[in-house]
């Protein structure tokens, strides 16, 4: 019996140590998230003030008063040449989703708002693609050109369409200096293309410029949709803290056309020869070649989500995000991606374990205290007063024995507060960027931006990001679910070589797409 008691004590001691390790890991992760969101909030607030004061590009090397005056007098970037360079916008499209037409109309308005020449190309798989007819029905031939690229055979359909767009740009003898690639499910604001051009014009050493999305769920959206929106909540920090980043978002990126035509650093070759992810390949290429990636703080886009998302669609979305990390174009790229998977799995496991175990402990403590007070309150009032004191003593004793749980709770409160502040800063920035556009059909223009702001002062921003506390808590819970699903999704990506994306099944071999099956 003495031996059994010793083993029980040893087991309880080891359990307590393990719980503390989990708590401190979870607290560190919460503090890291809070710090990232706080720094991102400060960046957004500074950008809002810059826009309101009418100052120039915040990542340009020269933003003097002379530059600002030139920008006001002539429709050109802050340089000695008042002419804006021409831009070609390439949109790889597939199918028609909720809000697709509204987003495409915002592309047209953004191109029209750009002072220089801007051409819009929609690259589709075939004439039978519903996107082909929808583009031609909603946009005129003067607004956009449809490029039929055919079916992909050795890379993702998106990359096949992108390469087809580059070939069309080269074949039409265009003098476009820059090429902007966009996903078809984002909503543009009128200043985006100008911000991109101005950023690259003033950063000659930058290889490319990128943007980042903020998912906006529809009103009264389901919890699964919020889980989809929560995916970018932690990733957006990498794009918000500094103007120079090591990450790329494939939904919006701009390159110099000459680099694409000359296949600089082998980027286009990697895309079309077994490539799956445009942004991950671009990011790995830039890191391997020590190329500069710039992200203007104003280059943030609304990515509106449907009201309801099925669990199956969400699981496929999560698996696709992790499947990307098991694709690579070189040995160095493979090591980098495997390292990212290992770090993500490590942090996800501790984060979910800390949140789940501490929520259980908090709930158990509250239930025990309430049950104790209810039980003794049925007796004499003097016993009730004594029981309150006993409950207080027990609570203090529990706190002393569980300092790591108390610290985790404080970190959790700080994390929720910083998340809500970050959403408020995004709300203010979206108001400045999108307030001159009609949210319903995207037919507004930048020209009526000032009038729209004046008429909407005091109203909520166009993104509807005014989060109350219940919404913030639900978004954090969705974040916990999304983080927790990373572990099984990573296991599936490492075991299975197939993934389905928009009706196309891709098979990978040694990190490259080896087989494409169209359904």
């Amino acid at each position: 019996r003495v031996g059994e008691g010793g083993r029980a004590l040893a087991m309880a001691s080891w359990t307590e140590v393990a719980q503390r390790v989990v708590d401190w890991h979870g607290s560190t992760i919460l503090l890291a998230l809070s710090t990232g969101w706080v720094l991102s909030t400060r960046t957004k607030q500074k950008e809002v003030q810059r826009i309101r004061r009418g100052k120039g590009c915040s990542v340009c090397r020269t933003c003097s008063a002379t530059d600002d005056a030139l920008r006001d007098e002539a429709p050109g970037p802050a340089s000695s040449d008042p002419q804006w360079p021409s831009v070609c916008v390439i949109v790889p499209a597939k199918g028609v989703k909720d809000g697709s037409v509204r987003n495409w109309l915002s592309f047209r308005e953004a191109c029209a708002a750009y002072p220089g020449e801007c051409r819009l190309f929609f690259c589709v798989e075939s004439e039978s693609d519903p996107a082909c007819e929808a583009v031609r029905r909603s946009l005129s031939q003067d607004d956009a050109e449809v490029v039929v690229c055919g079916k992909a055979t050795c890379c993702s359909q998106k990359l096949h369409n992108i390469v087809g767009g580059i070939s069309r740009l080269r074949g039409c003898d265009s003098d476009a200096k820059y090429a902007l690639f966009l996903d078809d499910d984002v909503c543009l604001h009128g200043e985006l293309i100008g911000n991109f051009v101005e950023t690259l014009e003033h950063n000659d050493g930058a290889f490319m410029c990128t943007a980042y999305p903020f998912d906006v769920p529809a009103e009264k959206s389901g919890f699964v949709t919020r889980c989809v929106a929560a995916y970018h909540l932690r990733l957006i920090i990498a794009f918000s803290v500094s103007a120079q980043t090591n990450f790329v978002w494939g939904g919006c990126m701009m390159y110099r056309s000459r680099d694409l035509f000359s296949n600089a650093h082998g980027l286009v070759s990697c895309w079309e020869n077994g490539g799956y992810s445009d942004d991950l390949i671009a990011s790995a290429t830039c890191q391997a070649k020590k190329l500069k990636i710039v992200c203007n703080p104003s280059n943030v886009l609304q990515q509106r989500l449907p009201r309801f998302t099925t669990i199956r669609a969400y699981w496929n979305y999560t698996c696709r995000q992790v499947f990307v990390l098991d694709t690579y174009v070189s040995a160095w790229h493979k090591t980098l991606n495997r390292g990212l998977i290992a770090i993500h799995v490590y942090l996800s496991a501790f984060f979910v374990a800390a949140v789940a175990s501490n929520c259980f402990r908090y709930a158990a403590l509250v239930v025990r205290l309430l049950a104790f007070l209810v039980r003794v309150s049925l007796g004499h009032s003097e016993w009730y007063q004594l029981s309150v004191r006993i409950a207080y003593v027990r609570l203090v004793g529990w706190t002393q024995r569980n300092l790591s749980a108390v610290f985790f709770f404080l970190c959790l409160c700080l994390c929720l507060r910083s998340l809500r502040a970050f959403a408020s800063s995004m709300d203010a920035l979206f108001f400045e960027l999108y307030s001159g556009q009609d949210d319903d059909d995207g037919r507004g223009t930048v020209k009526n931006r000032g009038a729209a702001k004046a008429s909407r002062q005091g109203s909520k921003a166009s993104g509807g990001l005014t989060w109350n506390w219940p919404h913030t808590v639900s978004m954090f819970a969705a974040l916990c679910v999304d983080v927790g699903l990373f572990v099984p999704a990573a296991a599936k990506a490492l075991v299975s070589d197939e993934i389905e994306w928009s009706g196309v099944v891709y098979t990978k071999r040694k990190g490259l797409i080896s087989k494409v099956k169209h359904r």
Side-chain angles (χ1 to χ4, degrees):
R1 293 181 179 177
V2 175
E4 292 179 358
R7 283 195 296 271
L9 270 170
M11 182 63 67
S13 177
W14 278 108
T15 303
E16 184 177 352
V17 170
Q19 182 63 58
R20 289 180 180 178
V21 170
V22 170
D23 288 345
W24 290 116
H25 273 79
S27 300
T28 303
I29 296 172
L30 288 177
L31 287 177
L33 287 174
S34 301
T35 303
W37 284 328
V38 168
L39 294 177
S40 300
T41 300
R42 292 187 60 186
T43 303
K44 301 298 174 293
Q45 291 173 344
K46 291 179 181 179
E47 192 65 13
V48 168
Q49 294 299 322
R50 181 196 67 80
I51 295 174
R52 290 175 178 174
R53 293 171 184 173
K55 292 187 176 181
C57 175
S58 58
V59 298
C60 295
R61 293 179 298 184
T62 57
C63 286
S64 61
T66 304
D67 294 331
D68 293 336
L70 177 60
R71 186 181 297 105
D72 293 336
E73 293 174 3
S79 64
S80 57
D81 184 4
Q83 297 298 321
W84 289 75
S86 59
V87 177
C88 174
V89 180
I90 299 175
V91 183
K94 183 177 178 62
V96 180
K97 300 175 283 293
D98 292 339
S100 291
V101 175
R102 178 191 61 227
N103 294 330
W104 299 344
L105 290 172
S106 74
F107 296 173
R108 181 193 66 185
E109 299 303 332
C111 292
Y114 179 64
E117 180 185 359
C118 187
R119 300 185 62 182
L120 178 59
F121 294 92
F122 280 85
C123 302
V124 298
E125 175 185 311
S126 64
E127 291 283 353
S128 61
D129 193 320
C132 186
E133 180 183 353
V135 169
R136 289 171 175 166
R137 186 174 62 249
S138 57
L139 301 175
S140 66
Q141 293 183 357
D142 295 334
D143 294 330
E145 177 183 340
V146 177
V147 180
V148 179
C149 304
K151 293 184 177 180
T153 57
C154 58
C155 65
S156 67
Q157 187 63 49
K158 178 183 178 181
L159 282 178
H160 183 75
N161 291 355
I162 285 178
V163 174
I166 296 174
S167 300
R168 177 68 184 92
L169 180 60
R170 184 191 293 116
C172 67
D173 296 329
S174 174
D175 60 346
K177 184 177 181 180
Y178 297 105
L180 174 63
F181 300 97
L182 296 171
D183 278 353
D184 63 347
D185 59 350
V186 296
C187 182
L188 302 191
H189 56 82
E191 295 185 355
L192 179 78
I193 300 178
N195 286 341
F196 264 107
V197 171
E198 196 172 5
T199 300
L200 288 180
E201 285 287 293
H202 289 85
N203 290 273
D204 297 332
F207 177 69
M208 64 171 296
C209 185
T210 188
Y212 53 97
F214 190 91
D215 293 329
V216 182
E219 283 191 40
K220 299 180 181 179
S221 59
F223 183 75
V224 179
T225 299
R226 297 190 180 188
C227 291
V228 176
Y231 175 76
H232 284 125
L233 281 180
R234 61 188 188 276
L235 301 182
I236 202 173
I237 296 174
F239 296 92
S240 304
V241 177
S242 174
Q244 185 171 345
T245 179
N246 290 324
F247 300 92
V248 179
W249 179 51
C252 187
M253 50 187 183
M254 176 177 279
Y255 301 86
R256 293 178 176 85
S257 298
R258 67 171 185 266
D259 293 334
L260 299 175
F261 295 160
S262 63
N263 190 26
H265 308 289
L267 177 63
V268 178
S269 297
C270 292
W271 279 348
E272 62 182 342
N273 296 319
Y276 176 78
S277 170
D278 50 350
D279 47 16
L280 205 67
I281 292 176
S283 175
T285 301
C286 290
Q287 292 184 54
K289 306 293 184 179
K290 301 188 183 302
L291 304 175
K292 185 178 180 181
I293 306 171
V294 183
C295 184
N296 191 317
S298 289
N299 292 351
V300 56
L301 302 176
Q302 288 184 357
Q303 196 166 26
R304 304 188 185 188
L305 302 179
R307 179 174 295 181
F308 298 107
T309 303
T310 64
I311 296 178
R312 180 178 180 181
Y314 171 55
W315 172 245
N316 175 262
Y317 173 80
T318 303
C319 291
R320 284 193 285 111
Q321 304 305 318
V322 184
F323 182 85
V324 170
L325 294 177
D326 197 38
T327 60
Y328 43 87
V329 295
S330 64
W332 180 87
H333 192 190
K334 177 182 179 180
T335 303
L336 175 66
N337 286 2
R338 292 293 172 85
L340 289 175
I341 291 177
I343 293 174
H344 274 77
V345 169
Y346 176 83
L347 295 178
S348 298
F350 273 106
F351 179 76
V352 174
V355 172
S357 61
N358 279 289
C359 286
F360 177 79
R361 284 199 290 179
Y362 301 149
L365 175 64
V366 171
V367 169
R368 289 173 60 186
L369 288 177
L370 289 177
F372 178 75
L373 293 177
V374 169
R375 185 171 63 253
V376 298
S377 65
L378 300 177
H380 196 271
S381 59
E382 294 181 359
W383 281 104
Y384 176 73
Q385 295 177 2
L386 179 62
S387 66
V388 172
R389 297 175 184 175
I390 295 175
Y392 174 75
V393 172
R394 289 185 177 181
L395 179 61
V396 172
W398 184 91
T399 302
Q400 292 176 344
R401 294 190 305 272
N402 298 273
L403 289 179
S404 61
V406 175
F407 184 72
F408 181 86
F409 179 77
L410 297 177
C411 293
L412 180 61
C413 293
L414 176 62
C415 193
L416 291 173
R417 182 67 185 88
S418 61
L419 176 59
R420 189 182 182 190
F422 174 65
S424 298
S425 67
M426 291 297 301
D427 187 60
L429 183 57
F430 278 155
F431 180 73
E432 295 298 326
L433 296 175
Y434 286 93
S435 58
Q437 297 175 214
D438 191 337
D439 298 328
D440 294 329
D441 58 8
R443 295 182 183 276
T445 62
V446 168
K447 295 179 181 178
N448 64 352
R449 184 171 174 230
K453 281 187 182 180
S455 63
R456 298 177 61 177
Q457 289 295 335
S459 65
K460 69 177 182 178
S462 59
L465 301 180
T466 306
W467 292 6
N468 52 25
W469 279 111
H471 187 90
T472 304
V473 173
S474 68
M475 286 301 299
F476 184 81
L479 176 65
C480 295
V481 173
D482 187 71
V483 171
L485 284 179
F486 184 91
V487 177
K492 181 180 182 298
L494 294 175
V495 172
S496 174
D497 291 332
E498 290 187 351
I499 193 69
E500 181 179 349
W501 181 12
S502 298
V504 182
V505 179
Y506 300 98
T507 303
K508 69 176 185 291
R509 182 174 181 272
K510 296 182 178 181
L512 299 175
I513 298 301
S514 59
K515 183 180 178 181
V516 181
K517 182 179 179 181
H518 297 265
R519 291 183 176 178

